[in-house]
Amino acid sequence: MSRKPLALATLAAIAVLIPLAAHAQAGPYKIINTVKIGGDGGFDYVTADPVGRNLYVARSGPAGHIGVFNLDTLAQVGDIPGVSGHGAVVDTATGHGFSTSKPITMFDSKTFAVIKKIEVQGNPDGYLIDTFNHRFYDLSHSAPNITVIDTKDGSILGTIDIGGAPEQAVSDGKGKIYVDIEDKSAIAVIDAKTMTMTGKYDLSSKSGGCAGLALDVKNNILFAACRDKNDMVILSATDGHIIADLPIGQGCDGATFNPATMEAFSSQGDGTLTVIKENSPTSFVAEQTVTTPVRAKTLTLDPKTGHIYLITAEYGPIPAPAAPAAAPATPPTPPAAAAPGAPPASGRPGGPGGFRGPRAPMIPGSFSIIVIGK
């Protein structure tokens, strides 16, 4: 081979590696374990119960269920069948867990037996257990935005309208709850005692589409991980003033804060985990970008070990679109005009039922739990 083709090949290889090198950033965190657990169904959230030492992984679809894994060994220790939901979380004090399925599923956190089904409105998605007064918050992108449930007996205590789609919520443990409103570039402030929204912090000057939210309780600092500009907006939980704005990866869907290390983490679907260090309540730096498997966009923290848990799967190629049908021999009869204000016959934009084309199939047996640590 001549020198010129070799040089061109080398340059091409470097061109491929430069974006990856620019995205990754050296630091102490790395993938320390990957466990393939397989199984069918979609997935969204993963949640650690650090006291009970369990990890809850909800799978959605016809074969929906909640897998329960030992937080230390990742061996499966339980399963709650017949539950198609986005996630599950436990209130250790009451011994009751809840999944954001429809209806909400309430279960025993020791035996994993289903206690009851709770009918709610809206479309359960995100969730929060608030230990301040032992309530479960069901977050829905459609009204009612938040349904509040007593974790002791599963009774519905009321609903809260925050004027938009909630994505993630955090509690200060003292009666204040913060919820990022994904479609309004804002964070709602909720009084846990009265179950009312008492304020709203505007983030539109910096970003929007915020899907992850974390809280430094000691210093009253919020970390809002946003998709519109791929940034972490850092603001005061006391009055909402913005302190800093740092870059993160693309497609974030979760954030958490470790008070032991004073670090905030955000997980992104582009295959990155961003680590932000809080040096002081007014000084923050993007400390590390950890390379992770793509689509690992949600996370949970085990405060005992400092480990971060992600979930993802591998996908095959997108199927080729079907060939268009042959044109009819005679033009079809035009459909009758719809009544004023009626929705289009095809449903949401993109075709019948909102379908926008073929999706990549999940490779069987590839669903995995990823552990990040030092």
Side-chain angles (χ1 to χ4, degrees), residues 9-371:
T10 303
L11 289 173
I14 292 173
V16 171
L17 292 173
I18 282 175
L20 296 176
H23 219 50
Q25 185 178 341
Y29 290 96
K30 59 184 179 294
I31 295 176
I32 60 173
N33 197 8
T34 299
V35 178
K36 285 192 175 183
I37 60 175
D40 298 324
F43 58 93
D44 198 355
Y45 300 112
V46 55
T47 311
D49 171 15
V51 177
R53 306 307 297 162
N54 287 323
L55 186 74
Y56 291 87
V57 180
R59 306 297 296 272
S60 59
H65 64 107
I66 301 170
V68 189
F69 301 84
N70 180 277
L71 198 54
D72 299 301
T73 67
L74 294 185
Q76 186 159 4
V77 294
D79 192 79
I80 307 172
V83 180
S84 176
H86 287 262
V89 65
V90 165
D91 181 0
T92 304
T94 63
H96 295 153
F98 298 83
S99 81
T100 47
S101 49
K102 190 171 184 181
I104 300 289
T105 301
M106 178 179 176
F107 59 90
D108 186 292
S109 64
K110 289 185 173 63
T111 66
F112 313 123
V114 172
I115 297 172
K116 66 191 293 188
K117 300 281 187 175
I118 306 167
E119 296 290 345
V120 294
Q121 296 177 304
N123 294 292
D125 188 336
Y127 48 90
L128 170 73
I129 287 283
D130 185 15
T131 56
F132 171 72
N133 50 9
H134 301 287
R135 292 174 178 177
F136 169 71
Y137 289 75
D138 158 39
L139 310 181
S140 167
H141 284 193
S142 59
N145 304 130
I146 301 175
T147 300
V148 186
I149 296 174
D150 191 320
T151 66
K152 294 185 292 294
D153 58 14
S155 60
I156 295 177
L157 302 175
T159 60
I160 307 171
D161 179 16
I162 60 173
E167 188 65 15
Q168 189 172 355
V170 290
S171 167
D172 68 358
K174 297 175 285 189
K176 284 284 183 65
I177 292 172
Y178 304 91
V179 186
D180 58 3
I181 311 177
E182 187 179 23
D183 59 345
K184 300 297 182 184
S185 303
I187 294 175
V189 183
I190 293 174
D191 185 318
K193 295 179 182 177
T194 62
M195 295 189 297
T196 58
M197 184 173 69
T198 59
K200 189 178 289 187
Y201 298 151
D202 183 15
L203 305 181
S204 61
S205 65
K206 290 295 182 181
S207 196
C210 301
L213 188 65
L215 174 65
D216 168 11
V217 174
K218 178 183 176 181
N219 294 314
N220 254 13
I221 304 294
L222 286 164
F223 299 82
C226 306
R227 295 173 180 162
D228 286 2
K229 296 183 180 177
N230 301 322
D231 57 348
M232 179 79 82
V233 181
I234 303 167
L235 65 153
S236 165
T238 304
D239 59 16
H241 80 269
I242 295 174
I243 303 169
D245 182 26
L246 295 172
I248 61 174
Q250 183 177 0
C252 67
D253 204 19
T256 190
F257 183 80
N258 187 349
T261 62
M262 300 302 287
E263 292 168 323
F265 302 81
S266 67
S267 50
Q268 288 83 226
D270 66 352
T272 60
L273 175 80
T274 304
V275 186
I276 292 178
K277 178 71 174 181
E278 179 181 336
N279 294 315
S280 77
T282 58
S283 174
F284 304 85
V285 62
E287 183 178 50
Q288 185 182 356
T289 301
V290 185
T291 300
T292 64
V294 295
R295 300 179 189 248
K297 63 186 181 67
T298 58
L299 79 171
T300 189
L301 167 72
D302 175 14
K304 178 183 176 181
T305 62
H307 292 166
I308 299 290
Y309 295 80
L310 314 168
I311 52 174
T312 191
E314 299 170 27
Y315 290 80
I318 297 176
T330 57
T333 304
S346 62
R348 293 173 295 175
F355 182 72
R356 300 175 187 275
R359 296 182 179 182
M362 183 187 297
I363 296 175
S366 69
F367 184 77
S368 303
I369 298 172
I370 313 295
V371 187

